[in-house]
Amino acid sequence: MKILRSKIFIGLCLLFLALPFFINFLSCLPAPFESWKQPSNWTTFWGQYLSGFAAFAMLFVAWRTLLTTKDANRPYIVVDIVDRGYSRVFIRCRNLGHTIATNIKITLDNTFIEKIRIAKVKESVESINSTTPFVLEPNGEKVWEIFLIPGTQLDSFHNVWGENAKYPFKGEYILKQDWKENEKIFKGNILKCSVSYNDEYSEHIEIDYNNILDGITTDEKLSNGFFSIVMSLSHIQNELRAIKSAISAEQDKNTLKN
């Protein structure tokens, strides 16, 4: 698009410069116009014509500079899906621009929302549509937790195993199998999103769970790593206690028999 605009501008400039030569050629032909017969009048015309061309060129450059500056300094909103650790999935809204973004409004596709089976997940996603228009500073972000990813990380965190395991989510305990079905829905569908801001910009975004981003900072990763180690050690300690208790009970039985 920029190349096309540049070619059009260059073409107009060439046409603007070529027009006087064409008029000069016509002046060589017999004509009743006195101005063509008087060199001083023709020189005056050239001066006025070139002055007009210079003014037009300066106005165009100023206009393009203004548009470029505005585009460079505008806010720019993106919406994506991220894993913030401990298998917790969030939808994240960020301002990647250089100026503040105001009156931000996000609208998610209701067709996708209707496919969600877990009531708390559906409620969490719907809450994004009902969020009051908000403001984001440059590099600012806003997140909404929408669901959990079933797996060994949650198993380790909650010390549970098997398909009958339940994980707490916003005040409810939900079966691991239900979380697996929920993840299949998100993997098999694209969540379409529209976002408007500053009363003049709008973006249409596709949120693909298969391209989930890592939303954990380096400090959070270190903190989560240490916490996971502590949880694992605590779990091992509990297992050792259970084994120790079983051995002690067996020894007590043997003592009583003897």
Side-chain angles (χ1 to χ4, degrees):
M1 184 61 72
K2 291 183 178 180
I3 296 176
L4 179 60
R5 289 178 180 175
S6 300
K7 289 182 178 179
I8 292 175
F9 176 68
I10 293 173
L12 290 174
C13 292
L14 292 175
L15 178 63
F16 202 81
L17 289 172
L19 189 58
F21 292 100
F22 179 69
I23 295 174
N24 190 33
F25 169 74
L26 293 178
S27 68
C28 297
L29 303 176
F33 303 109
E34 293 297 324
S35 62
W36 288 0
K37 299 178 181 180
Q38 299 180 21
S40 60
N41 291 344
W42 185 242
T43 302
T44 302
F45 165 78
W46 265 101
Q48 294 175 344
Y49 193 87
L50 292 177
S51 296
F53 174 76
F56 168 76
M58 291 176 64
L59 181 62
F60 180 83
V61 170
W63 175 67
R64 292 298 303 170
T65 301
L66 181 63
L67 289 181
T68 302
T69 302
K70 183 179 179 181
D71 288 339
N73 294 320
R74 58 162 283 190
Y76 188 72
I77 295 296
V78 297
V79 181
D80 49 32
I81 189 166
V82 295
D83 181 355
R84 298 292 289 265
Y86 300 119
S87 299
R88 296 161 63 229
V89 177
F90 293 76
I91 284 182
R92 176 179 63 181
C93 176
R94 292 182 292 165
N95 179 12
L96 302 183
H98 299 291
T99 55
I100 189 170
T102 61
N103 199 30
I104 304 170
K105 177 61 179 174
I106 299 175
T107 304
L108 301 176
D109 181 22
N110 283 321
T111 303
F112 182 97
I113 295 175
E114 289 302 319
K115 296 178 181 179
I116 300 173
R117 295 290 174 262
I118 299 178
K120 279 295 181 180
V121 175
K122 188 174 184 179
E123 178 184 313
S124 300
V125 177
E126 285 178 331
S127 68
I128 300 174
N129 285 346
S130 59
T131 301
T132 303
F134 56 96
V135 174
L136 283 180
E137 299 284 346
N139 298 318
E141 67 175 38
K142 185 177 179 65
V143 296
W144 297 265
E145 185 177 8
I146 55 172
F147 69 90
L148 302 178
I149 306 173
T152 55
Q153 190 176 24
L154 281 179
D155 285 343
S156 174
F157 183 70
H158 295 288
N159 293 328
V160 293
W161 293 269
E163 295 305 316
N164 292 325
K166 290 184 177 181
Y167 305 115
F169 182 75
K170 299 190 176 182
E172 290 187 6
Y173 280 84
I174 301 169
L175 281 170
K176 182 176 183 178
Q177 184 58 39
D178 291 340
W179 284 121
K180 287 186 175 181
E181 293 299 323
N182 178 77
E183 189 177 31
K184 288 180 182 178
I185 292 173
F186 277 83
K187 282 183 176 181
N189 298 272
I190 300 295
L191 176 55
K192 295 181 179 180
C193 167
S194 298
V195 56
S196 60
Y197 51 102
N198 286 59
D199 299 322
E200 60 176 320
Y201 302 113
S202 62
E203 312 288 345
H204 297 284
I205 302 167
E206 291 188 345
I207 302 175
D208 186 356
Y209 175 69
N210 297 294
N211 295 325
I212 189 169
L213 301 176
D214 184 354
I216 312 174
T217 64
T218 303
D219 292 340
E220 288 174 332
K221 286 181 179 178
L222 289 173
S223 176
N224 292 347
F226 285 127
F227 188 74
S228 296
I229 292 171
V230 171
M231 290 298 297
S232 297
L233 291 175
S234 176
H235 175 64
I236 293 171
Q237 186 179 26
N238 291 336
E239 288 295 310
L240 290 175
R241 284 175 181 172
I243 294 172
K244 183 178 179 181
S245 297
I247 293 173
S248 297
E250 188 66 26
Q251 288 176 345
D252 291 340
K253 288 180 180 180
N254 293 333
T255 302
L256 291 174
K257 288 179 180 179
N258 296 329

